[in-house]
Amino acid sequence: MSTGLIWFQNNLRIKDNSALAEACKENDQVMAIYFFDPKQFEFTEFGFKKTGKFRAKFLIETITELKENLVSLNIPLFIYQEKTEHYLPQFLQEYNISNVYLQKEWTSEEQKIITKVKEEVSEAIQFKAFYDQFLFHPEDIPYSNFNEVPKVFTEFRKKCEAKVSVRKCSLTPQPLNTENFDLKNNTEIPNLKDLGFEEFAQDSRTAFPFKGGENQAKKRIQQYFWETKNLAKYKQTRNGLIGEAYSSKLSAWLANGSISAKQVYWEVKKFEKEITKNQDTYWLIFELIWRDYFKFISLKHGNKIFKIGGILEKDLEWNKDEKARENWITGETKEPFVNANMKEIAATGFMSNRGRQNVASYWAKELKQDWRIGAAYFESLLIDYDIHSNWGNWMYNSGVGNDPRDRKFNIKRQAERYDPDQKFQELWLKD
């Protein structure tokens, strides 16, 4: 009998999961594993925890639902708070695993772990990795290699929209026959304290009052698309600042793979067919293409996305002023609009798209502080942190990425336009 293992990373769902579908198709029995790797909770060179309390809580909720959903397929999920490369090789040996299925990752830290695991195990074990976090599959884009991905998003978008069809979602496997599969799984999901955090209550002002998990992602789509039909006015409201209704808020579930970009795309298409098709419904797809683009940029440029010169290798003068850093983080700058947004992220782990662009522009273009400090702070705090979108957007807003116009935001004008009655600033700045 062959035993397959799904090594879960940022693909924490059972629907439209190529690794899971293939594992169930090719093996008599299937197991799953997830690591709360201590490295993910350590301090980075910039002085912030790689994963802060907000994303940690969301992740715990996500893994809780994943474990329950896998039970419905008769697949046990083993959970360890161990260094992946130290523990996974002995696990593969202990359970006589012949095939390992995972989502394909290409950023350096993830690659290093996968390489180390492969070095420690028998060559007979097959590792099968799938590009499963894209809207446009990398094999389908109209470029012969990733180096041809253009410098400007619009060119990429237009060419892909004209030439690429979004693939259908992969089928959810049928429950496996576990007649001869008797496994004792005593592993438990860690709580916040186990991961080094105190329990905390959610701030009542948050624009992201949601929990982690695949079922929660589906619930949000049901609510945002079908119950409120807010999708039909997405482009008009997406620059909002207060409350959960102004945007889809799907980014956190997309980031850890509780839902796939393809699932969102095909749900939009269904909405367009059954309810309405307009510029607003298209705009959500437009945003998914932006998300793809930053993934292709990191595929093209590798570690340059983490370098101070960015993908443009610009030699700019950057400051490292401790006082400026402290004032920016605590929301004590001379710009009330920046302060309100920074207080929001510190209290909730979330910030609007409009807010993110303004605080990043202020940090990098006004204060001329090392943009990577800002990116690392966001990495720590954001519930919806995605390595490619976060570092890609920070490069873009800091003049070392994909913005051909190298824009600088006029913060006061932005505040007047997007918070004209100062409701958002009052919400976060009042005593």
Side-chain angles (χ1 to χ4, degrees):
M1 283 178 80
S2 64
T3 303
L5 178 76
I6 307 138
W7 174 6
F8 279 103
Q9 294 156 296
N10 282 327
N11 56 341
L12 306 176
R13 62 184 183 273
I14 65 167
K15 290 188 181 297
D16 193 34
N17 187 325
S18 302
L20 176 63
E22 286 301 305
C24 293
K25 198 163 75 180
E26 295 179 355
N27 297 276
D28 303 302
Q29 54 193 33
V30 175
M31 300 157 64
I33 198 165
Y34 183 81
F35 288 91
F36 283 85
D37 194 314
K39 285 196 295 299
Q40 292 301 313
F41 302 91
E42 288 172 358
F43 285 91
T44 67
E45 62 181 292
F46 300 105
F48 308 115
K49 272 200 173 185
K50 203 170 177 59
T51 303
K53 65 179 183 180
F54 299 112
R55 194 161 73 259
K57 186 177 184 183
F58 194 78
L59 182 58
I60 290 165
E61 292 161 354
T62 301
I63 296 300
T64 303
E65 281 204 351
L66 177 66
K67 188 175 184 180
E68 290 165 5
N69 290 341
L70 285 167
V71 166
S72 71
L73 302 178
N74 295 323
I75 297 173
L77 177 63
F78 289 78
I79 296 147
Y80 296 99
Q81 206 178 330
E82 306 275 356
K83 284 192 173 175
T84 310
E85 65 271 31
H86 293 172
Y87 199 84
L88 186 53
Q90 68 186 69
F91 184 93
L92 297 175
Q93 194 175 354
E94 186 181 337
Y95 288 98
N96 199 23
I97 305 290
S98 36
N99 302 300
V100 180
Y101 300 81
L102 63 154
Q103 180 169 275
K104 193 173 279 196
E105 300 289 348
W106 56 91
T107 34
S108 54
E109 287 175 13
E110 288 73 14
Q111 272 293 307
K112 204 179 285 179
I113 291 169
I114 293 164
T115 303
K116 279 184 179 173
V117 170
K118 285 181 176 178
E119 285 169 357
E120 293 295 318
V121 300
S122 159
E123 286 180 12
I125 297 176
Q126 297 283 305
F127 285 78
K128 303 182 182 189
F130 302 85
Y131 279 126
D132 223 12
Q133 49 183 297
F134 292 86
L135 181 64
F136 299 133
H137 195 285
E139 289 170 11
D140 299 342
I141 62 168
Y143 305 100
S144 56
N145 62 65
F146 298 132
N147 287 330
E148 291 180 6
V149 171
K151 290 178 185 173
V152 178
F153 167 70
T154 305
E155 188 186 328
F156 171 84
R157 175 181 62 80
K158 286 180 175 174
K159 199 165 181 182
C160 287
E161 284 180 330
K163 301 198 170 183
V164 186
S165 296
V166 175
R167 295 184 180 189
K168 296 290 181 193
C169 296
S170 58
L171 294 172
T172 308
Q174 292 298 309
L176 294 166
N177 180 357
T178 55
E179 212 173 297
N180 303 310
F181 193 32
D182 184 24
L183 270 184
K184 288 197 169 37
N185 179 5
N186 300 320
T187 64
E188 290 184 0
I189 299 167
N191 58 34
L192 276 174
K193 210 162 187 184
D194 296 329
L195 298 176
F197 303 102
E198 294 299 320
E199 290 289 339
F200 63 95
Q202 189 176 71
D203 193 298
S204 61
R205 297 167 292 180
T206 186
F208 191 88
F210 307 105
K211 286 186 158 59
E214 182 173 10
N215 304 349
Q216 304 305 314
K218 280 187 261 181
K219 216 158 99 178
R220 176 58 179 169
I221 283 186
Q222 179 64 26
Q223 181 192 38
Y224 188 78
F225 285 40
W226 303 103
E227 289 169 18
T228 63
K229 301 186 176 51
N230 280 334
L231 175 60
K233 53 182 181 183
Y234 171 69
K235 193 184 178 193
Q236 301 162 57
T237 62
R238 71 194 173 90
N239 281 313
L241 299 163
I242 299 173
E244 49 87 20
Y246 67 78
S247 63
S248 74
K249 304 291 193 301
L250 293 174
S251 55
W253 294 292
L254 280 164
N256 71 17
S258 294
I259 196 165
S260 72
K262 285 187 293 168
Q263 284 175 292
V264 178
Y265 173 87
W266 288 114
E267 199 71 18
V268 172
K269 287 294 167 192
K270 187 182 174 196
F271 185 91
E272 288 180 337
K273 200 174 172 183
E274 295 180 16
I275 309 294
T276 187
K277 180 180 181 176
N278 57 23
Q279 190 66 10
D280 297 88
T281 57
Y282 164 72
W283 213 256
L284 192 57
I285 294 169
F286 176 90
E287 299 287 5
L288 290 174
I289 300 171
W290 255 119
R291 181 177 173 273
D292 256 25
Y293 181 62
F294 282 131
K295 291 183 185 298
F296 284 111
I297 287 300
S298 75
L299 269 165
K300 176 181 178 178
H301 293 284
N303 277 348
K304 277 187 194 172
I305 68 169
F306 306 115
K307 305 286 187 200
I308 197 161
I311 60 172
L312 301 181
E313 298 181 9
K314 271 192 181 179
D315 188 15
L316 301 173
E317 272 194 40
W318 297 99
N319 302 313
K320 283 188 180 172
D321 184 319
E322 280 301 319
K323 188 64 182 160
R325 169 179 163 142
E326 189 189 327
N327 289 346
W328 184 72
I329 286 172
T330 56
E332 302 289 337
T333 75
K334 64 183 177 63
E335 294 289 354
F337 190 56
V338 168
N339 297 341
N341 278 287
M342 293 306 290
K343 286 183 184 292
E344 180 186 26
I345 192 175
T348 69
F350 190 81
M351 190 193 290
S352 69
N353 174 57
R354 185 54 45 189
R356 294 179 202 204
Q357 292 186 65
N358 274 275
V359 303
S361 180
Y362 182 75
W363 176 252
K365 296 274 179 75
E366 292 277 344
L367 302 179
K368 294 184 167 47
Q369 298 294 314
D370 184 341
W371 66 272
R372 298 169 306 164
I373 294 168
Y377 182 65
F378 272 31
E379 175 176 6
S380 182
L381 261 74
L382 283 176
I383 296 172
D384 64 358
Y385 170 75
D386 171 283
I387 190 168
H388 316 284
S389 294
N390 184 63
W391 291 84
N393 270 307
W394 266 96
M395 282 194 301
Y396 187 96
N397 281 299
S398 306
V400 294
N402 298 94
D403 183 3
R405 290 187 280 166
D406 196 7
R407 277 160 285 204
K408 178 177 162 184
F409 281 78
N410 182 319
I411 311 292
K412 283 186 170 54
R413 203 174 296 157
Q414 287 275 306
E416 285 162 11
R417 183 174 176 186
Y418 295 104
D419 192 26
D421 50 12
Q422 300 193 351
K423 278 188 180 169
F424 175 73
Q425 290 165 78
E426 282 171 17
L427 181 67
W428 290 104
L429 299 178
K430 67 184 177 192
D431 294 331

